[in-house]
Amino acid sequence: RVWIAPPAYRAGIVWIAAMSASDTTLLTTPLNALHIELGARMVPFAGYSMPVQYPAGLMAEHHHTRKAAGLFDVSHMGQLRLSGPDACAAFESLMPVDVIDLPVGKQRYGLLLTDEGTIIDDLMFFKKAQDELFVIVNGACKAGDIAHIQAQIGSRCQITPLPDYALLALQGPQAVTALARLAPGVEKLVFMTGGDFTVNTGTQKINVFLTRSGYTGEDGFEISVHNDHAEALARALLAQPEVKPIGLGARNSLRLEAGLCLYGNDIDTTTTADGGWEDSIDGPKKVSGTFDFFWNPSKSPFSSVTKLLPGRDVTVFPTLKLYLDDTNFATGTARIQKLSKKSATKEGVMFTATF
């Protein structure tokens, strides 16, 4: 008899092999000793030694997360705080998504873009206050992301990386049951909301910041905790009957099954944000009126001028340097009502457009 592995499992094996091929000096997370104690297979990932699976195996971990609750160490991810009166407006200038009008206490998915409109990274951000954002970026991209954000908006707000904080993800249909025992009140959160909570382990109280979100397609929480308390928090969660430790191999198969992208595999700096990303481009600012519109094919997300047609919804990114009457408009969308060619140069074409 021949067993044919499901596609998500096969993809996970290929992904594990790719991770294992790296041979560099690796960083460790605050849970490294716990992973080894639990018998995890450790592999290189994003510059860290990370648990790819535990003795139960990838398939068992995958199914357990779908049926109960799995605990993931994702402390390799980058966490940072943006603060100051102009923080939200500044951050919005880097992404095609509404930051300014996001209510306090809500979280949103966003795309950090190059000047050409390609994707530097995908990320999550949470509005803690009108003048404060909490941001999570991918581990493999965090150094570059932070440098880019600092270079672009560092003069407009305070950017504070948070390397002293670990990140745990508790995922699965029974995640809320397990966590609510330790942190009453989390059950009241809805998807993409969060706040500060105190986790009572029975022997100590641990302050955490958490959101009801995740990367598996399941209900769950992502929990930011100081490195000094990460292991105690993890042990308290693993002591709950619903919870088992889950490695990055199952995290990958779970996100594949849920249809979620992985930066570096499915999207990168060759991926443009103008096609198939409607859910992450919400057009907070609407452009209207008649303007001169300069289209540079080497700097635009549009593959051909024929796409600039009346009736088409056009996403206007400030970082793309698409200027209307020499004004760099805020992130938003516009619908072209009328379009006429005004002039052409080697650099591009000038149109008169009515939006």
Side-chain angles (χ1 to χ4, degrees):
R1 291 182 295 178
V2 177
W3 177 69
I4 300 176
Y9 183 81
R10 295 198 301 272
I13 293 298
V14 172
W15 184 73
I16 292 167
M19 289 195 302
S20 303
S22 177
D23 183 21
T24 58
T25 301
L26 299 174
L27 301 172
T28 58
T29 76
L31 300 185
N32 187 67
L34 179 59
H35 297 317
I36 295 171
E37 176 187 322
L38 295 173
R41 176 187 171 192
M42 307 298 289
V43 299
F45 183 70
Y48 285 78
S49 177
M50 298 294 292
V52 70
Q53 66 181 63
Y54 294 87
L58 189 155
M59 287 286 281
E61 294 172 22
H62 180 112
H63 289 303
H64 182 81
T65 305
R66 287 281 183 250
K67 295 175 182 177
L71 182 65
F72 302 78
D73 179 9
V74 288
S75 301
H76 63 293
M77 304 282 280
Q79 301 178 66
L80 57 152
R81 180 172 60 247
L82 276 59
S83 57
D86 199 31
C88 291
F91 198 46
E92 184 173 297
S93 73
L94 303 181
M95 300 187 299
V97 67
D98 189 359
V99 180
I100 295 172
D101 294 328
L102 179 68
V104 171
K106 294 291 186 70
Q107 186 178 39
R108 185 162 284 166
Y109 175 79
L111 301 174
L112 188 64
L113 302 181
T114 66
D115 284 352
E116 289 71 38
T118 60
I119 301 172
I120 297 172
D121 198 7
D122 59 339
L123 53 80
M124 300 287 277
F125 62 94
F126 182 94
K127 184 177 279 190
K128 299 194 76 172
Q130 290 294 349
D131 59 355
E132 182 179 355
L133 297 168
F134 172 71
V135 183
I136 299 176
V137 299
N138 282 303
C141 306
K142 64 183 177 183
D145 288 358
I146 293 171
H148 176 78
I149 294 169
Q150 183 68 54
Q152 296 293 321
I153 62 172
S155 62
R156 298 176 61 183
C157 62
Q158 182 69 36
I159 300 164
T160 308
L162 302 171
D164 294 333
Y165 283 79
L167 190 66
L168 308 185
L170 185 66
Q171 300 284 292
Q174 296 180 33
V176 64
T177 302
L179 185 57
R181 287 195 198 100
L182 306 177
V186 298
E187 72 279 1
K188 297 177 183 178
L189 295 175
V190 297
F191 183 58
M192 299 292 266
T193 65
D196 295 309
F197 286 84
T198 298
V199 176
N200 189 343
T201 69
T203 59
Q204 66 180 119
K205 294 183 178 180
I206 301 172
N207 294 325
V208 303
F209 172 75
L210 60 83
T211 58
R212 196 161 190 172
S213 57
Y215 189 54
T216 61
E218 291 290 345
D219 186 18
F221 301 86
E222 293 176 307
I223 309 167
S224 178
V225 58
H226 195 278
N227 290 341
D228 293 346
H229 304 299
E231 184 173 331
L233 174 62
R235 288 185 183 276
L237 292 169
L238 290 170
Q240 305 309 304
E242 301 87 356
V243 183
K244 290 184 178 180
I246 311 296
L248 294 184
R251 186 169 184 256
N252 189 59
S253 62
L254 289 160
R255 70 92 189 169
L256 277 168
E257 193 173 69
L260 302 175
C261 289
L262 173 64
Y263 192 89
N265 282 40
D266 310 304
I267 53 175
D268 56 29
T269 52
T270 67
T271 309
T272 59
D274 69 323
W277 289 96
E278 291 81 3
D279 289 344
S280 56
I281 300 174
D282 60 4
K285 304 295 185 291
K286 301 298 181 183
V287 179
S288 62
T290 299
F291 307 95
D292 285 342
F293 186 101
F294 184 75
W295 179 73
N296 182 333
S298 67
K299 297 288 186 181
S300 171
F302 310 116
S303 59
S304 70
V305 70
T306 57
K307 287 189 175 182
L308 288 171
L309 295 174
R312 174 178 167 82
D313 285 325
V314 178
T315 301
V316 181
F317 306 116
T319 54
L320 285 175
K321 295 180 172 53
L322 296 180
Y323 294 96
L324 308 178
D325 278 357
D326 296 324
T327 300
N328 194 351
F329 273 79
T331 305
T333 58
R335 173 164 292 226
I336 296 177
Q337 304 297 329
K338 296 180 181 179
L339 183 69
S340 61
K341 183 176 177 180
K342 188 173 181 180
S343 62
T345 67
K346 291 181 179 180
E347 286 73 31
V349 181
M350 182 69 76
F351 294 93
T352 296
T354 300
F355 295 96

